[in-house]
């Protein structure tokens, strides 16, 4: 959710940078403000929300690792092994930059890789907001795959360009890191430096408790709807 919020807040400004928009369309229209179409803004919010789950792929038993069954579980195992456990390397500014730049270059070079990344991130976003059947791993994966494929086809049919993909991945990953800094364990933001960043005086949020579901999630949902209205509403 914080990923979606960050994107809706930052995207129009960031995506006006020529590198991050569809330059051919910009040349057509000649207007910077239309660098992102409304569907791209929404697609970006979903992708950025998915990217905001990426750092937790270092935790193979997290729900997120089960999004696409063995595919995401295997990915998670690999990330966990590389990162040396939970809340390490993937919870840093360096990871957000590397993921963003890596995806940007990859997407630029290989359209198929770009599409795989988009599908993976949309799937992670849907999983994060709890799309699925409680207690049914296979059923949940199927529902998710169906919905993800549907969204991807809609994006394709509406001419969504993905010049901003790497940007969304970088922003989403970093927002996750900032969010985890608000929790009691904190994050090694400046990895490979070992220092952990967290709120002072043990103010941090305990994760996995009611506060997240009962207060934080509704407040963030309202923020997302408000931002969508602000960006796309008839004002
Ligand atoms: Zn995390």
């Amino acid at each position: 959710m914080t990923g979606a919020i960050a994107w809706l807040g930052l995207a129009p400004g960031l995506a006006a940078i020529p590198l991050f928009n569809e330059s051919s369309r910009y040349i057509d229209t000649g207007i910077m403000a239309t660098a992102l179409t409304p569907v791209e803004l929404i697609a970006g919010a979903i992708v950025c929300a998915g990217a905001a789950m990426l750092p937790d792929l270092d935790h193979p038993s997290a729900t997120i690792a089960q999004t696409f069954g063995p595919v995401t579980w295997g990915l998670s195992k690999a990330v966990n092994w590389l990162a040396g456990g939970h809340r390490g390397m993937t919870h840093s500014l360096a990871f957000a930059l590397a993921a963003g730049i890596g995806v940007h270059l990859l997407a630029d070079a290989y359209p198929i890789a770009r599409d795989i990344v988009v599908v993976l991130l949309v799937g992670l976003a849907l999983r994060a907001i709890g799309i699925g059947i409680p207690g049914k791993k296979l059923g949940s994966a199927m529902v998710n795959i169906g919905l993800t494929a549907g969204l991807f086809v809609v994006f394709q049919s509406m001419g969504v360009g993905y010049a901003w993909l790497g940007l969304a991945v970088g922003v989403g990953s970093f927002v996750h890191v900032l969010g985890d800094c608000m929790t009691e364990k904190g994050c090694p933001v400046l990895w490979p430096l070992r220092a952990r960043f967290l709120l002072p005086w043990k103010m941090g949020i305990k994760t996995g408790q009611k506060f997240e579901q009962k207060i934080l999630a509704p407040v963030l949902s309202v923020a997302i709807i408000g931002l969508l209205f602000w960006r796309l509403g008839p004002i």
Side-chain angles (χ1 to χ4, degrees):
M1 284 183 151
T2 51
I5 289 174
W7 186 253
L8 293 172
L10 300 172
L14 291 175
I17 301 167
L19 187 67
F20 300 130
N21 61 53
E22 300 293 317
S23 50
S24 59
R25 189 189 304 144
Y26 169 57
I27 290 159
D28 281 352
T29 61
I31 307 166
M32 268 310 185
T34 57
L36 280 183
T37 65
V39 199
E40 281 170 352
L41 184 73
I42 292 169
I46 298 173
V47 164
C48 197
M53 301 310 297
L54 284 178
D56 275 355
L57 277 177
D58 65 1
H59 195 328
S61 55
T63 334
I64 213 68
Q66 291 152 15
T67 305
F68 290 145
V71 178
T72 36
W73 182 80
L75 186 65
S76 179
K77 272 283 184 201
V79 173
N80 178 268
W81 181 74
L82 282 171
H86 188 43
R87 285 218 187 172
M89 180 192 87
T90 60
H91 285 69
S92 68
L93 178 62
F95 173 82
L97 282 173
I101 294 169
V103 165
H104 188 81
L105 297 176
L106 189 74
D108 225 22
Y110 306 102
I112 181 74
R114 176 198 66 201
D115 292 349
I116 291 172
V117 171
V118 171
V119 165
L120 178 72
L121 295 177
V122 170
L124 288 181
L126 293 179
R127 182 76 209 206
I129 57 167
I131 300 277
I133 310 163
K136 297 233 160 86
K137 276 190 195 174
L138 185 66
S140 299
M142 293 325 240
V143 169
N144 192 320
I145 288 169
L147 276 174
T148 301
L151 275 174
F152 184 70
V153 170
V154 169
F155 294 161
Q156 292 295 92
S157 71
M158 299 188 79
V160 167
Y162 291 105
W164 44 264
L165 186 61
L167 181 68
V169 168
V171 169
S173 304
F174 192 58
V175 163
H176 177 113
V177 175
L178 291 181
D180 274 1
C181 287
M182 308 288 159
T183 65
E184 49 174 11
K185 282 192 196 124
C187 292
V189 179
L190 295 181
W191 182 93
L193 297 181
R194 284 170 149 255
R196 295 188 86 83
F197 289 71
L198 68 170
L199 294 176
W201 309 302
K202 299 195 173 166
M203 273 164 59
I205 304 163
K206 280 193 171 62
T207 53
Q209 297 204 345
K210 280 191 180 150
F211 175 75
E212 284 183 321
Q213 287 178 4
K214 296 261 156 88
I215 298 171
L216 213 48
V219 167
L220 295 180
S221 308
V222 171
I224 291 175
I225 293 165
L227 275 164
L228 271 174
F229 193 76
W230 175 48
R231 289 297 185 198
L232 304 175
I235 306 167

Coordinates of all heavy atoms in Angstrom, one line a residue, residues 102-162:
G102 N 18.7 -2.3 -12.5 CA 18.7 -3.6 -13.1 C 17.5 -3.8 -14.0 O 17.6 -4.2 -15.1
V103 N 16.3 -3.6 -13.4 CA 15.1 -3.8 -14.1 C 15.0 -2.8 -15.3 O 14.5 -3.2 -16.4 CB 13.9 -3.7 -13.2 CG1 12.6 -3.5 -14.0 CG2 13.8 -4.9 -12.3
H104 N 15.4 -1.6 -15.1 CA 15.4 -0.6 -16.2 C 16.2 -1.1 -17.4 O 15.7 -1.1 -18.5 CB 15.9 0.8 -15.7 CG 15.7 1.9 -16.7 ND1 14.5 2.5 -16.8 CD2 16.5 2.4 -17.6 CE1 14.6 3.4 -17.8 NE2 15.8 3.4 -18.2
L105 N 17.4 -1.5 -17.1 CA 18.3 -2.0 -18.2 C 17.7 -3.3 -18.9 O 17.7 -3.4 -20.1 CB 19.7 -2.2 -17.7 CG 20.4 -1.0 -17.2 CD1 21.7 -1.3 -16.6 CD2 20.5 0.1 -18.3
L106 N 17.3 -4.2 -18.0 CA 16.7 -5.5 -18.5 C 15.5 -5.2 -19.4 O 15.4 -5.8 -20.5 CB 16.3 -6.3 -17.3 CG 16.0 -7.8 -17.6 CD1 17.2 -8.6 -17.9 CD2 15.3 -8.4 -16.4
A107 N 14.6 -4.4 -18.9 CA 13.3 -4.1 -19.6 C 13.6 -3.4 -20.9 O 12.9 -3.7 -21.9 CB 12.4 -3.3 -18.8
D108 N 14.6 -2.6 -20.9 CA 15.0 -1.9 -22.1 C 15.6 -2.9 -23.2 O 15.3 -2.7 -24.4 CB 16.2 -0.9 -21.8 CG 15.9 0.4 -22.4 OD1 14.8 0.7 -22.7 OD2 16.9 1.2 -22.5
A109 N 16.3 -3.9 -22.7 CA 17.0 -4.8 -23.7 C 16.1 -5.9 -24.1 O 16.1 -6.3 -25.3 CB 18.2 -5.3 -23.0
Y110 N 15.2 -6.4 -23.2 CA 14.4 -7.6 -23.5 C 13.0 -7.4 -23.2 O 12.6 -7.5 -22.0 CB 14.9 -8.8 -22.7 CG 16.4 -9.1 -22.9 CD1 17.3 -8.8 -21.9 CD2 16.9 -9.7 -24.0 CE1 18.7 -9.0 -22.1 CE2 18.2 -10.0 -24.2 CZ 19.1 -9.6 -23.2 OH 20.4 -9.9 -23.4
P111 N 12.1 -7.2 -24.2 CA 10.7 -7.0 -23.9 C 10.1 -8.2 -23.1 O 9.2 -8.0 -22.3 CB 10.1 -6.9 -25.3 CG 11.2 -6.4 -26.2 CD 12.4 -7.0 -25.6
I112 N 10.5 -9.4 -23.4 CA 9.9 -10.6 -22.7 C 10.3 -10.5 -21.2 O 9.4 -10.8 -20.4 CB 10.4 -11.9 -23.4 CG1 9.7 -13.1 -22.7 CG2 11.9 -12.1 -23.4 CD1 8.3 -13.3 -23.0
A113 N 11.5 -10.1 -20.9 CA 11.9 -10.0 -19.5 C 11.1 -8.9 -18.8 O 10.6 -9.1 -17.7 CB 13.4 -9.7 -19.4
R114 N 10.8 -7.8 -19.5 CA 10.0 -6.7 -19.0 C 8.6 -7.3 -18.7 O 8.1 -7.0 -17.6 CB 9.9 -5.6 -20.1 CG 9.0 -4.5 -19.7 CD 8.7 -3.7 -20.9 NE 7.8 -4.5 -21.8 CZ 7.7 -4.2 -23.1 NH1 8.3 -3.2 -23.7 NH2 6.9 -5.0 -23.8
D115 N 8.0 -8.0 -19.6 CA 6.7 -8.6 -19.3 C 6.7 -9.5 -18.1 O 5.7 -9.5 -17.3 CB 6.1 -9.3 -20.6 CG 5.9 -8.3 -21.7 OD1 5.9 -7.1 -21.4 OD2 5.7 -8.7 -22.9
I116 N 7.7 -10.3 -18.0 CA 7.8 -11.2 -16.9 C 7.8 -10.5 -15.5 O 7.1 -10.8 -14.6 CB 9.0 -12.2 -17.0 CG1 8.7 -13.2 -18.1 CG2 9.2 -12.9 -15.7 CD1 9.9 -14.0 -18.5
V117 N 8.6 -9.4 -15.5 CA 8.7 -8.6 -14.3 C 7.4 -7.9 -14.0 O 7.0 -7.9 -12.8 CB 9.9 -7.5 -14.5 CG1 9.8 -6.5 -13.3 CG2 11.2 -8.1 -14.6
V118 N 6.7 -7.4 -15.0 CA 5.4 -6.8 -14.8 C 4.4 -7.8 -14.2 O 3.8 -7.5 -13.1 CB 4.8 -6.2 -16.1 CG1 3.4 -5.7 -15.9 CG2 5.7 -5.0 -16.6
V119 N 4.4 -9.0 -14.8 CA 3.4 -10.0 -14.3 C 3.8 -10.4 -12.8 O 2.9 -10.5 -12.0 CB 3.4 -11.2 -15.2 CG1 2.8 -12.4 -14.6 CG2 2.7 -10.9 -16.5
L120 N 5.1 -10.6 -12.6 CA 5.5 -11.0 -11.2 C 5.1 -9.9 -10.2 O 4.5 -10.2 -9.1 CB 7.0 -11.2 -11.2 CG 7.6 -11.5 -9.9 CD1 7.3 -13.0 -9.5 CD2 9.1 -11.4 -9.9
L121 N 5.3 -8.7 -10.6 CA 5.0 -7.6 -9.6 C 3.5 -7.4 -9.4 O 3.1 -7.1 -8.3 CB 5.7 -6.3 -10.0 CG 7.2 -6.4 -10.0 CD1 7.8 -5.1 -10.5 CD2 7.7 -6.7 -8.6
V122 N 2.7 -7.5 -10.5 CA 1.3 -7.4 -10.3 C 0.8 -8.5 -9.4 O 0.0 -8.3 -8.5 CB 0.6 -7.4 -11.7 CG1 -0.9 -7.6 -11.5 CG2 0.9 -6.2 -12.5
G123 N 1.3 -9.7 -9.6 CA 1.0 -10.9 -8.8 C 1.3 -10.6 -7.3 O 0.5 -10.9 -6.4
L124 N 2.5 -10.1 -7.1 CA 2.9 -9.8 -5.7 C 2.0 -8.8 -5.0 O 1.6 -8.9 -3.9 CB 4.3 -9.3 -5.6 CG 5.5 -10.3 -5.9 CD1 6.8 -9.6 -5.8 CD2 5.4 -11.4 -4.9
A125 N 1.6 -7.7 -5.8 CA 0.7 -6.7 -5.3 C -0.7 -7.3 -4.9 O -1.2 -7.0 -3.9 CB 0.5 -5.6 -6.4
L126 N -1.2 -8.1 -5.8 CA -2.5 -8.7 -5.5 C -2.4 -9.6 -4.3 O -3.3 -9.6 -3.4 CB -3.0 -9.6 -6.7 CG -3.4 -8.8 -8.0 CD1 -3.8 -9.7 -9.1 CD2 -4.5 -7.8 -7.7
R127 N -1.4 -10.3 -4.2 CA -1.2 -11.2 -3.0 C -1.1 -10.4 -1.7 O -1.6 -10.7 -0.7 CB 0.1 -12.0 -3.2 CG 0.4 -13.0 -2.1 CD -0.5 -14.2 -2.2 NE -0.8 -14.8 -0.9 CZ -1.1 -16.0 -0.7 NH1 -1.2 -16.8 -1.8 NH2 -1.3 -16.5 0.5
A128 N -0.4 -9.2 -1.9 CA -0.2 -8.4 -0.7 C -1.5 -7.8 -0.1 O -1.6 -7.7 1.1 CB 0.8 -7.2 -1.1
I129 N -2.4 -7.5 -1.0 CA -3.7 -7.0 -0.5 C -4.6 -8.1 -0.1 O -5.8 -7.9 0.1 CB -4.4 -6.0 -1.4 CG1 -4.6 -6.6 -2.8 CG2 -3.6 -4.7 -1.6 CD1 -5.6 -5.8 -3.7
G130 N -4.1 -9.4 -0.2 CA -4.9 -10.5 0.4 C -5.8 -11.2 -0.6 O -6.7 -11.9 -0.2
I131 N -5.5 -11.0 -2.0 CA -6.3 -11.7 -2.9 C -6.0 -13.2 -2.8 O -4.8 -13.6 -2.9 CB -6.0 -11.2 -4.4 CG1 -6.3 -9.7 -4.5 CG2 -6.7 -12.1 -5.4 CD1 -7.7 -9.4 -4.8
G132 N -7.0 -14.0 -2.7 CA -6.7 -15.5 -2.6 C -7.8 -16.2 -1.8 O -8.7 -15.5 -1.3
I133 N -7.6 -17.5 -1.6 CA -8.6 -18.2 -0.8 C -7.9 -18.6 0.5 O -6.9 -19.3 0.4 CB -9.1 -19.5 -1.6 CG1 -9.5 -19.1 -3.0 CG2 -10.2 -20.2 -0.9 CD1 -9.6 -20.2 -4.0
P134 N -8.4 -18.2 1.6 CA -7.7 -18.5 2.9 C -7.5 -20.0 3.0 O -8.4 -20.8 2.8 CB -8.7 -18.0 3.9 CG -9.5 -17.0 3.3 CD -9.6 -17.4 1.8
G135 N -6.2 -20.4 3.3 CA -5.9 -21.8 3.6 C -5.7 -22.7 2.4 O -5.4 -23.8 2.5
K136 N -6.0 -22.1 1.2 CA -5.8 -22.9 -0.1 C -4.7 -22.4 -0.9 O -4.9 -21.4 -1.6 CB -7.1 -22.9 -0.9 CG -8.3 -23.5 -0.1 CD -9.0 -24.6 -1.0 CE -9.8 -25.5 -0.2 NZ -11.2 -25.1 0.0
K137 N -3.5 -23.0 -0.8 CA -2.4 -22.5 -1.5 C -2.5 -22.5 -3.0 O -2.3 -21.5 -3.7 CB -1.1 -23.3 -1.1 CG -0.5 -22.8 0.2 CD 0.9 -23.5 0.3 CE 1.4 -23.4 1.8 NZ 2.6 -24.2 2.0
L138 N -2.9 -23.7 -3.5 CA -3.0 -23.9 -4.9 C -4.2 -23.0 -5.5 O -4.0 -22.3 -6.5 CB -3.3 -25.4 -5.3 CG -3.3 -25.7 -6.8 CD1 -1.9 -25.5 -7.4 CD2 -3.8 -27.1 -7.0
G139 N -5.3 -23.0 -4.8 CA -6.4 -22.2 -5.3 C -6.1 -20.8 -5.3 O -6.4 -20.0 -6.3
S140 N -5.4 -20.3 -4.3 CA -5.0 -18.9 -4.2 C -4.1 -18.5 -5.4 O -4.2 -17.5 -6.0 CB -4.3 -18.6 -2.9 OG -5.1 -18.8 -1.8
A141 N -3.1 -19.4 -5.6 CA -2.2 -19.2 -6.7 C -2.9 -19.1 -8.1 O -2.7 -18.2 -8.9 CB -1.1 -20.3 -6.8
M142 N -3.9 -20.0 -8.2 CA -4.7 -20.0 -9.5 C -5.5 -18.7 -9.6 O -5.5 -18.1 -10.7 CB -5.7 -21.2 -9.5 CG -5.1 -22.5 -9.6 SD -3.6 -22.5 -10.6 CE -4.0 -23.6 -11.8
V143 N -6.2 -18.3 -8.6 CA -7.0 -17.0 -8.6 C -6.1 -15.9 -9.0 O -6.4 -15.0 -9.8 CB -7.7 -16.8 -7.2 CG1 -8.3 -15.4 -7.2 CG2 -8.8 -17.8 -7.0
N144 N -4.9 -15.8 -8.3 CA -4.0 -14.8 -8.5 C -3.5 -14.8 -10.0 O -3.4 -13.7 -10.6 CB -2.8 -14.9 -7.6 CG -1.9 -13.7 -7.5 OD1 -1.7 -13.1 -8.6 ND2 -1.5 -13.3 -6.4
I145 N -3.1 -15.9 -10.5 CA -2.6 -16.0 -11.9 C -3.7 -15.5 -12.8 O -3.4 -14.7 -13.7 CB -2.2 -17.5 -12.2 CG1 -0.9 -17.8 -11.5 CG2 -2.0 -17.6 -13.7 CD1 -0.5 -19.3 -11.5
G146 N -4.9 -15.9 -12.6 CA -6.0 -15.5 -13.5 C -6.2 -14.0 -13.5 O -6.2 -13.3 -14.5
L147 N -6.2 -13.4 -12.3 CA -6.4 -11.9 -12.2 C -5.2 -11.2 -12.7 O -5.4 -10.2 -13.4 CB -6.6 -11.5 -10.7 CG -8.0 -11.7 -10.1 CD1 -8.0 -11.4 -8.6 CD2 -9.0 -10.7 -10.8
T148 N -4.0 -11.7 -12.4 CA -2.8 -11.0 -12.9 C -2.8 -11.0 -14.5 O -2.6 -10.0 -15.1 CB -1.6 -11.7 -12.4 OG1 -1.6 -11.7 -11.0 CG2 -0.3 -11.1 -12.9
A149 N -3.1 -12.2 -15.0 CA -3.1 -12.3 -16.5 C -4.2 -11.3 -17.1 O -3.9 -10.6 -18.1 CB -3.5 -13.7 -16.9
G150 N -5.3 -11.2 -16.4 CA -6.4 -10.3 -16.9 C -5.9 -8.9 -16.9 O -6.1 -8.2 -17.9
L151 N -5.3 -8.5 -15.8 CA -4.8 -7.1 -15.7 C -3.8 -6.8 -16.7 O -3.8 -5.8 -17.4 CB -4.2 -6.9 -14.3 CG -5.2 -6.5 -13.2 CD1 -4.5 -6.4 -11.8 CD2 -5.8 -5.1 -13.5
F152 N -2.9 -7.8 -16.9 CA -1.8 -7.6 -17.9 C -2.4 -7.4 -19.3 O -1.9 -6.5 -20.0 CB -0.8 -8.8 -17.9 CG 0.3 -8.6 -18.8 CD1 1.3 -7.7 -18.5 CD2 0.5 -9.4 -20.0 CE1 2.4 -7.5 -19.3 CE2 1.5 -9.2 -20.8 CZ 2.5 -8.3 -20.5
V153 N -3.4 -8.2 -19.6 CA -4.0 -8.1 -21.0 C -4.7 -6.7 -21.1 O -4.6 -6.0 -22.1 CB -5.1 -9.2 -21.2 CG1 -5.9 -9.0 -22.4 CG2 -4.3 -10.6 -21.3
V154 N -5.4 -6.3 -20.0 CA -6.0 -4.9 -20.0 C -4.9 -3.9 -20.3 O -5.1 -3.0 -21.1 CB -6.8 -4.7 -18.7 CG1 -7.2 -3.2 -18.6 CG2 -8.0 -5.6 -18.6
F155 N -3.8 -4.0 -19.6 CA -2.8 -3.0 -19.7 C -2.3 -3.0 -21.2 O -2.1 -1.9 -21.8 CB -1.6 -3.3 -18.8 CG -1.9 -3.1 -17.4 CD1 -1.0 -3.7 -16.4 CD2 -3.0 -2.4 -16.9 CE1 -1.3 -3.6 -15.1 CE2 -3.2 -2.2 -15.6 CZ -2.4 -2.8 -14.6
Q156 N -2.1 -4.2 -21.7 CA -1.6 -4.3 -23.1 C -2.6 -3.6 -24.1 O -2.2 -2.9 -25.0 CB -1.4 -5.8 -23.6 CG -0.3 -6.5 -22.9 CD 1.1 -6.0 -23.2 OE1 1.6 -5.1 -22.5 NE2 1.7 -6.4 -24.2
S157 N -3.9 -4.0 -23.9 CA -4.9 -3.5 -24.8 C -5.0 -2.0 -24.7 O -5.5 -1.3 -25.7 CB -6.2 -4.2 -24.6 OG -6.8 -3.7 -23.4
M158 N -4.6 -1.4 -23.6 CA -4.8 0.1 -23.5 C -3.5 0.8 -23.8 O -3.3 2.0 -23.5 CB -5.3 0.4 -22.1 CG -6.7 -0.2 -21.9 SD -7.6 0.3 -20.4 CE -8.2 1.9 -20.9
G159 N -2.6 0.1 -24.3 CA -1.3 0.7 -24.8 C -0.4 1.2 -23.7 O 0.3 2.2 -23.9
V160 N -0.4 0.5 -22.6 CA 0.5 0.9 -21.5 C 2.0 0.7 -21.9 O 2.3 -0.4 -22.4 CB 0.2 0.1 -20.2 CG1 1.3 0.3 -19.2 CG2 -1.1 0.6 -19.6
G161 N 2.8 1.8 -21.8 CA 4.2 1.6 -22.0 C 4.9 1.4 -20.7 O 4.4 1.8 -19.7
Y162 N 6.1 0.8 -20.7 CA 6.7 0.5 -19.4 C 8.1 1.2 -19.2 O 9.0 0.7 -18.6 CB 6.9 -1.0 -19.3 CG 5.5 -1.7 -19.1 CD1 5.0 -2.4 -20.1 CD2 4.9 -1.6 -17.9 CE1 3.7 -3.0 -20.0 CE2 3.6 -2.2 -17.7 CZ 3.1 -2.9 -18.8 OH 1.9 -3.5 -18.6

